[in-house]
Amino acid sequence: MDEWCNEVPKELNFKLEAENTQKVAKNLDYRSKGASAELSKSHVDVLVPEVLQSTEKVLIMVYMDGVRLSDVAKLKELGVDMQTLVESITRSYAHQIYVDGFFNADPHPGNFLVSKVPPFKPILLDFGLTKTLTFTKKQALAKMLLACAEGDYAALLSAFTEIGLKLRMDMPEDVMQVTNFFFRRSIPGKESPEDIKQWTKENEERKKRFQEKQKEEEENGASLHRSPVDAFPGDIVFFMRVLNLLRGLSSMLGARVVYLEVMRPFAEAALFSGNVLGSGRMLETESWVHKTPSHSSVETKLRELLLNLGREDSILGVQVCVYKDGKVIIDTAGGVLGKFDPRPVQPDSLFSCFSVTKGITAGLVHWLADQGKLNLSERVSAYWPEFAVNGKQNITVAHVLNHTAGLQNALAHELKTDPLLVCNWDETLKKLAAAIPETTPGTKQVYHALTFGWLCGGIIEKASGKKFQDLLEEVFVHPIGLNGEFYVGIPAGVEDRLATLSLDTEEVKTMKEAIEKQQAAQSLKFLINPAERFSKPSETMMKSTTPQSSFGGEDGMSTITALPVLFNTLFVRRAIVPAANGHFSARALARYYATLCTGGIVPPASLSSEPPLSRHPHKPFEKKSVAKGNKKNGTKKPDRNTRHVVTDIEAPQVVEPSPSARIFLNTSIHDAFLAAGEYSKLAYTDEKFGLGFRRITSGDGSSTEVIGFGHSGVGGSTGFCYPAHNFAIAITLNKLSQGGVTAQIARLVTQELGLPCPAMYSSVNADRGPDMTGGVILGE
């Protein structure tokens, strides 16, 4: 009401309306100003009457003869294409809102005419009620539409923050659902009752979930409010009104308009104007690399390389951090958080790093062994009794770490049927406990793309008696000083720092060609020797039905293209998937490997990092005091996947690790990671993986010497170290590729430091392992 009362009286001043009319006419005349290339195919071709004279009480315009929009019979008689007409009107409003930031806030049927001669252009009338958007609000509304179109939860929530819309409860899935409904396609009026019926049903379900959330918060000591919104910006009132009135026009004329598609080009033009990626998404070099002092000459050269890769559109967002001899010599961030989230990447931004996560999960298993809480050669069933069924009785912890457990496809069928099974921790462990190995344990190393994480996770929880995430905090996050930048399953409250995944479309084509060649070669092999198809069933199954393809693609390509969609959702980001959903900053990941590099000695805190590492609370919405119990017995069982959003938030403090902190006691811990020395008998020899970590070999061509260990992730993110050189590096990327960008970064850094380059990055066609190329289908 405040917004309405502030704006409506302006309609009584015709002098102001004349100015508004002239401004809109000028803005929509694409021919006079030359439309951008992005809008050339979606130009606005409408008519606006010319203003002849105006005073505060009188407005005289050129008379335009047309048919009223509500006269459907006459429009049909003239042969007007209703669909084209409504889309033209919609484009004109998309231009006003997203490009101009100045729009008519009153698009009811009486404010339109349709010209009586072909091509029957819409005539826009009555600009008394207009609304002006600031540059920031215009971009935020554009981001909201595009985030909705892409299913990008992180961008949607940041758009709401930028708009000024503050939600009281942490219910992002419902927010996405409501926003999708807000931008839903229009349908003819006769179909509306069924549409409203479905919406009412969904709304009742949302209302029920909201009430349950309110009750839960009340039981945990939070105040009870009825409204799910804390702040509602006035600007969005008329924006919503415009969309609702446009939908009414479409319904009246029997048109179907997909608003997300029609309005998208205009939203994109607005979003990429004046940001790191400018109009046309050309790189704005001045602000592409985050402005922090360079730590070394190597970092200066690296930044130039990253800038060139950005100009070539090979990088969207990137972080690189390098430790040498316990000191940070590179800590660089560049690019943007997402394809439709042009906020610049910061050093503390969080990247989804896929199987880089395995290196952290493996570290926890080794820590438990180091503390005497488990034995690597012991059977899994000794800690996890339910596991000792269906031929799994002799699978050891070492088999799991070495990818020789034979359970590489244990959940393939289930994940193909229900991809969101990855979010159900207890159910995945239950299914793995009942699974049947497809190869004899300990006889063949076959990459366990997803099952590795849950197998290790089950062992970790059973052996420690603690939840996976709690142990991660206790063992690595707090002692090393990684607070707020090192997660496997994110908590609520970090969404504004999330980088959004996208695909490098050119590299997807290359992946597809590689898959087709491999499948053709496999078919030829079977033609030459038909018995081969049955001689090694486990291997052929691995080639044709990988854990990745279980997400829905028979040829593996559906998997690759579906990964960003699935792993951008907050369902998956918040789940515990210890093989694939780690969220790290490069500087936190590099610090982890710098600690492992020295056998567990934590390096000194970097005084040059800005902002400081560990400045964020690890659980942003945890209360200082113990929550109140429920009314019955004063206690409440905690939900491991729920974070309670409250106002009593602990003040962020930089957590500095103890100078004497040491993570591992075993002086031969590196041999344990690599399955070397006394641990070699626990591994399938001469393969890429030791005990949980990828063995890094020299790339000089003269030797296959193992020089380090680490783990990469599909799309390019990686972390590894060289113990003999006290060197650790981490690279995070949000534009998924086959690893070419990672290889260029690794080659430059190692060359400048006089270190051997990893074999997997030594050349364009080097073997980068299963996770650098999209999974077993390409890597093994």
Side-chain angles (χ1 to χ4, degrees):
M1 288 304 299
D2 290 341
E3 186 71 12
W4 190 263
C5 292
N6 184 53
E7 296 295 332
V8 171
K10 297 177 183 177
E11 288 199 83
L12 302 179
N13 187 338
F14 285 164
K15 191 82 173 175
L16 185 60
E17 181 172 338
E19 293 173 1
N20 293 341
T21 303
Q22 291 168 329
K23 185 173 182 178
V24 171
K26 181 180 179 181
N27 288 342
L28 294 182
D29 187 2
Y30 71 96
R31 290 163 298 188
S32 66
K33 61 182 179 181
S36 66
E38 297 147 279
L39 300 181
S40 60
K41 295 181 180 180
S42 302
H43 67 258
V44 178
D45 201 0
V46 297
L47 300 173
V48 178
E50 179 185 352
V51 174
L52 298 178
Q53 192 174 351
S54 67
T55 67
E56 186 175 340
K57 301 293 184 182
V58 179
L59 175 61
I60 304 173
M61 296 180 288
V62 168
Y63 177 74
M64 304 193 79
D65 191 17
V67 179
R68 296 182 70 85
L69 205 61
S70 56
D71 193 348
V72 178
K74 182 64 175 179
L75 293 175
K76 289 182 177 179
E77 183 183 326
L78 288 173
V80 175
D81 185 324
M82 303 298 188
Q83 184 71 26
T84 301
L85 175 66
V86 173
E87 287 186 0
S88 294
I89 292 173
T90 303
R91 279 197 298 273
S92 74
Y93 272 84
H95 195 293
Q96 290 175 62
I97 293 167
Y98 295 117
V99 178
D100 307 323
F102 182 79
F103 62 95
N104 180 354
D106 198 23
H108 61 76
N111 284 347
F112 295 94
L113 295 174
V114 181
S115 61
K116 293 181 177 179
V117 294
F120 307 116
K121 295 182 181 181
I123 302 170
L124 277 55
L125 307 173
D126 190 355
F127 295 90
L129 181 58
T130 58
K131 190 67 184 172
T132 301
L133 299 172
T134 63
F135 176 80
T136 301
K137 290 288 175 65
K138 186 174 68 173
Q139 289 209 312
L141 288 174
K143 186 196 288 189
M144 183 174 76
L145 181 141
L146 294 168
C148 182
E150 293 291 308
D152 187 342
Y153 289 80
L156 180 65
L157 293 177
S158 73
F160 280 176
T161 300
E162 292 161 22
I163 290 169
L165 179 62
K166 295 181 181 179
L167 304 176
R168 206 191 141 261
M169 286 188 175
D170 176 40
M171 302 177 71
E173 292 79 16
D174 280 1
V175 170
M176 178 64 78
Q177 191 177 0
V178 170
T179 310
N180 267 291
F181 180 81
F182 186 55
F183 285 113
R184 73 193 185 282
R185 65 181 178 85
S186 66
I187 58 175
K190 60 184 180 182
E191 298 177 20
S192 292
E194 189 62 33
D195 190 52
I196 293 299
K197 182 179 178 181
Q198 179 63 27
W199 163 249
T200 302
K201 180 181 177 181
E202 292 173 357
N203 197 44
E204 285 300 316
E205 291 173 355
R206 276 192 297 274
K207 184 178 178 181
K208 183 179 178 181
R209 287 195 296 272
F210 175 69
Q211 290 170 341
E212 290 173 351
K213 191 82 170 180
Q214 282 185 317
K215 183 179 179 181
E216 182 182 285
E217 289 199 356
E218 184 184 30
E219 290 175 347
N220 283 276
S223 58
L224 182 64
H225 297 290
R226 295 190 174 212
S227 174
V229 178
D230 269 349
F232 199 91
D235 291 330
I236 206 171
V237 171
F238 286 104
F239 174 73
M240 293 172 68
R241 170 180 164 80
V242 165
L243 279 187
N244 281 325
L245 286 173
L246 289 177
R247 195 181 315 283
L249 295 181
S250 302
S251 180
M252 180 181 70
L253 296 175
R256 301 176 187 272
V257 178
V258 182
Y259 290 97
L260 289 175
E261 290 182 8
V262 175
M263 303 180 92
R264 182 170 184 149
F266 302 93
E268 289 186 6
L271 192 60
F272 293 99
S273 172
N275 279 292
V276 175
L277 294 179
S279 180
R281 305 189 194 180
M282 297 300 290
L283 199 64
E284 298 289 341
T285 57
E286 290 298 319
S287 55
W288 197 82
V289 173
H290 184 68
K291 294 185 183 299
T292 52
S294 180
H295 293 77
S296 62
S297 59
V298 184
E299 184 165 28
T300 301
K301 293 180 180 179
L302 172 68
R303 289 180 175 183
E304 187 59 37
L305 170 65
L306 296 180
L307 198 54
N308 289 333
L309 290 171
R311 292 190 184 106
E312 296 168 4
D313 199 28
S314 298
I315 292 179
L316 186 62
V318 62
Q319 295 170 324
V320 182
C321 185
V322 174
Y323 275 76
K324 183 72 174 72
D325 299 325
K327 297 180 180 179
V328 175
I329 63 168
I330 295 175
D331 188 4
T332 288
V336 294
L337 287 177
K339 185 179 178 182
F340 297 109
D341 190 353
R343 291 176 297 155
V345 171
Q346 307 285 339
D348 58 357
S349 297
L350 298 172
F351 282 69
S352 178
C353 295
F354 290 106
S355 285
V356 172
T357 315
K358 290 183 176 71
I360 285 76
T361 302
L364 282 179
V365 176
H366 282 286
W367 183 86
L368 288 171
D370 185 67
Q371 298 294 311
K373 296 180 182 295
L374 63 78
N375 189 315
L376 299 181
S377 60
E378 182 62 87
R379 291 173 300 169
V380 172
S381 58
Y383 312 103
W384 189 353
E386 301 89 342
F387 196 78
V389 296
N390 297 328
K392 301 194 300 302
Q393 292 87 339
N394 294 323
I395 294 178
T396 67
V397 176
H399 289 151
V400 172
L401 289 173
N402 193 227
H403 295 272
T404 57
L407 294 166
Q408 57 270 17
N409 296 305
L411 300 181
H413 176 72
E414 289 86 348
L415 288 171
K416 188 171 185 177
T417 304
D418 178 18
L420 289 181
L421 175 63
V422 299
C423 302
N424 193 328
W425 174 262
D426 293 330
E427 189 63 23
T428 52
L429 294 192
K430 180 181 177 182
K431 288 182 180 296
L432 278 177
I436 303 172
E438 58 184 270
T439 55
T440 303
T443 61
K444 187 175 183 60
Q445 190 173 93
V446 183
Y447 188 59
H448 289 46
L450 283 174
T451 54
F452 175 92
W454 290 309
L455 288 169
C456 287
I459 294 168
I460 288 167
E461 291 202 343
K462 300 293 183 180
S464 69
K466 298 181 179 181
K467 298 300 184 184
F468 181 92
Q469 290 166 313
D470 293 340
L471 192 69
L472 178 65
E473 289 178 51
E474 177 188 323
V475 175
F476 293 143
V477 174
H478 297 314
I480 301 177
L482 308 175
N483 284 47
E485 298 184 33
F486 202 80
Y487 296 103
V488 177
I490 62 166
V494 303
E495 292 85 0
D496 63 331
R497 292 191 286 126
L498 295 178
T500 301
L501 298 166
S502 64
L503 284 174
D504 187 323
T505 53
E506 289 302 314
E507 294 224 7
V508 167
K509 294 177 184 177
T510 306
M511 290 181 191
K512 188 174 187 298
E513 291 171 2
I515 290 172
E516 289 171 347
K517 286 180 181 178
Q518 187 179 38
Q519 289 178 333
Q522 192 70 21
S523 299
L524 181 61
K525 182 179 179 181
F526 290 150
L527 286 173
I528 295 172
N529 184 8
E532 184 73 27
R533 183 181 297 274
F534 306 101
S535 63
K536 297 179 181 179
S538 61
E539 182 176 355
T540 56
M541 181 179 291
M542 177 189 72
K543 298 289 187 182
S544 61
T545 314
T546 68
Q548 287 92 339
S549 66
S550 68
F551 283 97
E554 293 182 1
D555 62 358
M557 284 312 299
S558 297
T559 296
I560 296 168
T561 54
L563 279 176
V565 176
L566 185 65
F567 279 83
N568 280 336
T569 67
L570 287 184
F571 290 110
V572 175
R573 287 183 184 266
R574 291 181 174 180
I576 310 165
V577 190
N581 81 328
H583 286 75
F584 316 112
S585 66
R587 63 185 188 171
L589 186 60
R591 187 169 176 79
Y592 169 76
Y593 273 104
T595 301
L596 267 57
C597 184
T598 57
I601 300 174
V602 179
S606 173
L607 301 177
S608 57
S609 295
E610 187 58 45
L613 176 60
S614 215
R615 75 185 180 110
H616 298 282
H618 198 64
K619 294 179 180 177
F621 291 142
E622 281 217 328
K623 299 182 73 176
K624 292 179 185 176
S625 56
V626 178
K628 294 180 181 179
N630 61 31
K631 296 177 181 178
K632 290 184 179 180
N633 56 18
T635 62
K636 180 174 175 61
K637 184 178 179 180
D639 180 353
R640 68 184 301 156
N641 293 317
T642 302
R643 299 290 186 271
H644 299 298
V645 182
V646 296
T647 55
D648 187 13
I649 301 173
E650 226 175 293
Q653 295 179 346
V654 177
V655 179
E656 295 186 5
S658 169
S660 60
R662 185 184 181 102
I663 304 301
F664 295 100
L665 304 175
N666 183 2
T667 56
S668 301
I669 194 67
H670 291 153
D671 286 346
F673 294 161
L674 294 167
E678 63 178 293
Y679 296 90
S680 59
K681 63 181 180 295
L682 298 178
Y684 194 79
T685 58
D686 300 324
E687 290 289 349
K688 296 170 185 175
F689 290 96
L691 293 175
F693 292 93
R694 169 71 184 259
R695 293 165 170 159
I696 308 295
T697 57
S698 173
D700 60 10
S702 61
S703 170
T704 57
E705 176 191 3
V706 175
I707 58 174
F709 59 88
H711 217 295
S712 60
V714 62
S717 294
T718 191
F720 60 90
C721 63
Y722 298 169
H725 300 280
N726 201 355
F727 164 80
I729 183 173
I731 302 166
T732 57
L733 299 163
N734 60 350
K735 188 173 188 178
L736 305 185
S737 68
Q738 294 187 76
V741 168
T742 313
Q744 290 189 61
I745 295 170
R747 288 201 295 268
L748 182 144
V749 171
T750 53
Q751 180 180 345
E752 289 295 322
L753 294 177
L755 300 173
C757 181
M760 60 186 179
Y761 299 130
S762 61
S763 67
V764 175
N765 297 316
D767 168 29
R768 296 178 194 132
D771 277 307
M772 296 301 287
T773 49
V776 182
I777 225 171
L778 291 176
E780 295 292 322

